[in-house]
């Protein structure tokens, strides 16, 4: 009887101890970026503030770019507002930044690979207003924000003005999938046909069971949108890119789904 009591007390103590430790550890939840409201009467500075939110959130720009430190995957954006007007002869800062966002392959900074996808195309899918906000923010980095929502650009976004998942559905994207958790999205998009996420078993593609321990969120994101940028040793290039192209993944996946997939894979640490 005494032994049973001791075991019960030990079990209770252990449970309470781990409960206490669990409460002491900071809890953090991550959510997909929300659409940011853009008012037609916003000043350039107000628009730049919205642009900063988009760059850090929906635009996922910091997956590759940095501000104030050498860029590993893409150029450092510090001071871009001051130098953008001098990058290409005959182009204003607005025209140059717009070209970089809508058609990034036209001019690639020396020393970097052409890995950026057009900002108005999947999986980022920024609206015209959101791109104007991003331009205003980039102007403010070393310069002065001058762009407003009425500024004319030499490009037009292909995304509906709302920028919402409803707009994605109107364009043919499966907005119903936006409600699924990352694990179910991984299956819904057919990723499990090539990758194992539970064990270190090679399939058509490398195992992703510990990808969160090997790669940052930014690197995971980049490997999805530009899979040939860094191919796992022992696997041929172009296979994933062709697979994504063949399944229409880039046209189907929404920014919400993409961020959920990245969060899901970042949690795969091999444990």
């Amino acid at each position: 009887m005494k032994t049973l009591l001791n075991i019960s007390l030990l079990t209770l103590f252990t449970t309470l101890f781990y409960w206490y430790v669990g409460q002491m550890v900071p809890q953090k939840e991550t959510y997909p970026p929300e659409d940011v409201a853009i008012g037609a009467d916003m000043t350039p500075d107000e628009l730049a503030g919205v642009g900063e939110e988009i760059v850090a959130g929906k635009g996922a720009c910091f997956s590759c770019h940095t501000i104030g430190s050498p860029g590993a995957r893409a150029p450092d954006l510090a001071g871009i507002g001051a130098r953008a007007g001098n990058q290409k002869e005959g182009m204003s800062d607005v025209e140059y930044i717009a070209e970089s966002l809508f058609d990034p392959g036209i001019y690639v900074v020396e020393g970097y690979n052409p890995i950026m996808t057009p900002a108005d195309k999947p999986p980022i899918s920024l609206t015209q207003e959101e791109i104007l906000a991003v331009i205003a923010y980039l102007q403010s980095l070393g310069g002065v924000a001058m762009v407003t929502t009425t500024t004319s650009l030499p490009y037009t976004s292909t995304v509906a003005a709302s920028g919402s998942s409803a707009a994605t559905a109107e364009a043919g994207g499966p907005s119903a999938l936006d409600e699924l958790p990352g694990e179910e999205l991984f299956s819904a998009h057919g990723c499990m046909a090539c990758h194992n996420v539970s064990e270190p078993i090679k399939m058509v593609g490398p195992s992703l069971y510990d990808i969160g321990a090997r790669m940052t969120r930014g690197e995971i994101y980049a490997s999805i949108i530009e899979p040939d940028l860094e191919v796992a040793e022992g696997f041929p290039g172009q296979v994933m890119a062709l697979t994504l192209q063949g399944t229409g993944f880039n046209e189907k996946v929404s920014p919400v789904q993409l961020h959920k997939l990245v969060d899901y894979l970042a949690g795969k640490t091999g444990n």
Side-chain angles (χ1 to χ4, degrees):
M1 184 68 179
K2 184 177 180 180
T3 301
L4 180 60
L5 178 61
N6 288 338
I7 293 175
S8 299
L9 289 173
L10 178 61
T11 302
L12 177 62
F13 174 78
T14 303
T15 301
L16 290 173
F17 173 76
Y18 281 108
W19 173 83
Y20 173 76
V21 171
Q23 297 304 308
M24 296 300 292
V25 175
Q27 304 297 310
K28 181 180 180 180
E29 291 186 80
T30 57
Y31 298 91
E34 298 180 355
D35 293 322
V36 182
I38 299 176
D41 58 347
M42 280 186 168
T43 66
D45 286 340
E46 290 172 335
L47 197 61
V50 173
E52 183 176 8
E53 292 184 51
I54 295 170
V55 164
K58 181 179 179 180
C61 305
F62 293 142
S63 296
C64 297
H65 290 282
T66 55
I67 296 181
S69 61
R73 293 180 176 274
D76 180 17
L77 297 177
I80 184 63
R83 64 177 185 272
N86 302 316
Q87 291 292 92
K88 296 182 71 173
E89 187 176 353
M91 293 186 74
S92 68
D93 59 342
V94 174
E95 292 170 331
Y96 171 75
I97 297 173
E99 180 186 86
S100 299
L101 292 170
F102 281 99
D103 201 346
I106 288 182
Y107 177 76
V108 179
V109 176
E110 185 177 356
Y112 294 94
N113 295 314
I115 64 173
M116 182 173 169
T117 57
D120 67 318
K121 299 290 196 309
I124 303 301
S125 303
L126 297 186
T127 67
Q128 190 84 356
E129 291 78 13
E130 289 170 336
I131 288 176
L132 284 167
V134 169
I135 293 175
Y137 171 62
L138 294 178
Q139 280 187 316
S140 74
L141 298 178
V144 178
M146 301 290 288
V147 168
T148 68
T149 56
T150 61
T151 299
S152 177
L153 297 179
Y155 299 86
T156 301
S157 174
T158 58
V159 182
S162 67
S164 65
S165 58
T168 303
E170 185 177 336
S175 63
L177 295 182
D178 288 355
E179 305 301 320
L180 297 179
E183 182 176 6
E184 293 183 31
L185 285 170
F186 189 81
S187 177
H189 282 295
C191 307
M192 297 185 74
C194 297
H195 299 283
N196 189 303
V197 290
S198 58
E199 297 178 274
I201 298 175
K202 294 181 180 180
M203 297 173 64
V204 177
S207 172
L208 303 179
Y209 91 111
D210 64 343
I211 189 172
R214 295 184 286 106
M215 300 176 71
T216 65
R217 276 179 165 77
E219 290 170 338
I220 294 173
Y221 174 85
S223 70
I224 294 175
I225 64 172
E226 192 64 39
D228 283 331
L229 179 64
E230 187 173 340
V231 180
E233 185 177 354
F235 293 90
Q238 298 188 329
V239 172
M240 181 172 171
L242 291 173
T243 300
L244 296 182
Q245 180 180 350
T247 60
F249 173 83
N250 288 335
E251 287 70 38
K252 295 176 182 177
V253 69
S254 70
V256 169
Q257 295 171 36
L258 185 60
H259 281 268
K260 284 187 177 183
L261 282 169
V262 171
D263 283 343
Y264 168 64
L265 292 174
K268 292 293 178 180
T269 57
N271 298 324

